Amino acid sequence: MTAVPVAIRRRPSPPAAVPAVGGGGALVDTFSRVHRDLRISLTDRCSLRCTYCMPEQGNEWLARESILSLDEIERVAHVAARAGITTFRLTGGEPLLRRDIVDVVRRLAAVPSASGPVEIAMTTNGIRLGEVLPDLVAAGLGRLNISIDTLISERFAALTRRDRLADVLEGIAAAAASGLRPLKLNAVAMRGVNDDELVDLVAFATEHGAQMRFIEQMPLDAGHTWDRAQMVTREEILRSLSARWDLTPVPGRGGAPAERWLLDGGPHSVGVIASVTAPFCGDCDRLRLTADGQLRNCLFSTTEYDLVPILRGGGTDQDVDRMLRSCVHGKLAGHAIDDPSFLQPARGMNAIGG
């Protein structure tokens, strides 16, 4: 399946019926899902060029002047926290490419919420992590997800088009030594690419006190070349791991994207994010803010809610709150990947934010 990209629709203003800050309560959509997690993309740029994410050359980056400033991000975060958001996950692109990344963590970690301090998490490729992690932890970083799709140097260079596996492994070692827990390692499972390494990746994760999480490959590549036949499914992943470990399901998933299984009864576990074959849309509690100030209520949405005119045009915090609620109000029941009418988002994953 190769989906045809569609133009992103942007909504400049929310409907008047959407509640405003101060009296709107929690961010609840029309399917009674309460939203507590805001994924904040800090940049669309990345130090790798993973084949399933973006082309090696010819990428059209966001203009620097369109990227939200730290002050603008912090302002949105304060409004979101008052509306019930309790976790901010910093993503990209690669968030560690942002020069003010330590200040971003420090200022967001200081944002109060109704239930106490917010939690600051980050998804990163691990490059530069060994260099900046102590400052990030001191600034208030609470959790880390690190992407690593292979442990084989030549394969890593071919997959990412960059020979940086040693840097990623250094970052993982630093994270393991930091005491940040839970520590999660993410891998996109790909047929004929790394599906022979699933057991090795889990063993590597457990050696570092981390949970390995396998992700079904999703139609979010900038080149729009996703092919369902090349995707390694949840059932295939579990079958491969079951040849090495006894897998026991962990109950109480809630709104978490990954299903978890204990390995030989624990304490170690493995996760699978099966967005395609076993979607978890019914419990989704996430919103996304792109690096250029667009709110999205789903990774696969073709509609964005533009905060830039509010943030740079004299709008109030009440206006920001209304836009958040409009975005939540417009959320569909699910992503409909299996529906014949499904259209892949025009933006790639690097521009949306993980």
Side-chain angles (χ1 to χ4, degrees):
M1 169 184 172
T2 300
V4 179
V6 295
I8 294 174
R9 294 183 294 124
R10 289 184 175 172
R11 296 188 177 181
S13 59
V18 176
V21 67
L27 295 169
V28 185
D29 67 15
T30 57
F31 300 93
S32 300
R33 294 172 294 200
V34 180
H35 293 71
R36 302 181 180 89
D37 186 310
L38 179 63
R39 312 285 170 108
I40 301 174
S41 177
L42 300 179
T43 178
D44 64 330
R45 297 172 185 263
C46 189
S47 41
L48 302 177
R49 297 290 183 273
C50 296
T51 55
Y52 57 81
C53 185
M54 67 174 79
E56 182 175 13
Q57 298 177 342
N59 292 285
E60 295 185 7
W61 308 114
L62 295 172
R64 292 192 182 277
E65 60 270 17
S66 73
I67 303 295
L68 294 185
S69 68
L70 175 49
D71 287 343
E72 291 168 334
I73 293 170
E74 184 182 25
R75 182 182 175 193
V76 175
H78 274 280
V79 176
R82 288 196 296 268
I85 295 295
T86 58
T87 299
F88 298 121
R89 175 170 293 280
L90 306 178
T91 71
E94 172 46 49
L96 295 182
L97 290 181
R98 180 110 175 191
R99 294 181 180 179
D100 59 353
I101 182 60
V102 175
D103 289 334
V104 171
V105 171
R106 180 179 297 111
R107 286 171 60 174
L108 292 188
V111 172
S113 74
S115 57
V118 296
E119 182 174 43
I120 308 299
M122 180 184 295
T123 298
T124 172
N125 61 27
I127 297 174
R128 287 199 69 229
L129 194 56
E131 172 190 345
V132 300
L133 185 55
D135 290 337
L136 292 173
V137 173
L141 182 66
R143 288 193 289 124
L144 268 174
N145 288 16
I146 305 173
S147 300
I148 180 165
D149 296 316
T150 177
L151 298 169
I152 301 172
S153 296
E154 297 80 7
R155 185 175 287 181
F156 184 94
L159 178 62
T160 68
R161 304 178 178 113
R162 300 290 188 271
D163 188 12
R164 305 295 299 272
L165 178 59
D167 298 313
V168 176
L169 295 178
E170 179 183 345
I172 292 173
S178 73
L180 289 182
R181 296 295 185 274
L183 173 62
K184 299 174 183 178
L185 306 184
N186 294 342
V188 177
M190 293 164 281
R191 194 176 310 285
V193 177
N194 65 351
D195 53 342
D196 60 339
E197 285 189 81
L198 304 186
V199 168
D200 291 340
L201 284 163
V202 173
F204 172 82
T206 60
E207 290 169 4
H208 288 78
Q211 177 197 120
M212 193 70 222
R213 306 197 312 171
F214 294 106
I215 304 171
E216 289 184 340
Q217 188 174 357
M218 295 176 283
L220 288 167
D221 60 300
H224 298 275
T225 60
W226 181 76
D227 183 355
R228 188 184 185 110
Q230 297 304 308
M231 179 189 72
V232 181
T233 67
R234 168 186 179 273
E235 293 307 315
E236 291 174 289
I237 293 168
L238 294 177
R239 186 162 57 246
S240 178
L241 299 181
S242 293
R244 169 62 177 82
W245 292 281
D246 179 43
L247 303 181
T248 305
V250 177
R253 174 183 181 180
E259 296 175 88
R260 291 195 301 126
W261 288 263
L262 293 177
L263 302 171
D264 290 339
H268 299 297
S269 64
V270 66
V272 178
I273 300 175
S275 298
V276 178
T277 64
F280 44 90
C281 303
D283 294 312
C284 180
D285 64 353
R286 288 168 295 286
L287 296 175
R288 287 173 170 80
L289 176 65
T290 67
D292 59 344
Q294 308 301 314
L295 286 169
R296 299 175 64 94
N297 53 35
C298 178
L299 269 174
F300 302 97
S301 177
T302 55
T303 300
E304 293 182 341
Y305 297 75
D306 192 357
L307 282 175
V308 175
I310 297 172
L311 297 174
R312 299 182 179 178
T316 66
D317 285 358
Q318 186 177 54
D319 296 324
V320 174
D321 181 86
R322 285 199 184 100
M323 190 64 80
L324 280 166
R325 296 182 188 282
S326 180
C327 181
V328 170
H329 189 267
K331 190 166 184 171
L332 302 178
H335 54 52
I337 288 178
D338 287 326
D339 192 286
S341 65
F342 174 78
L343 292 172
Q344 183 171 339
R347 291 192 193 236
M349 184 68 164
N350 67 298
I352 295 172

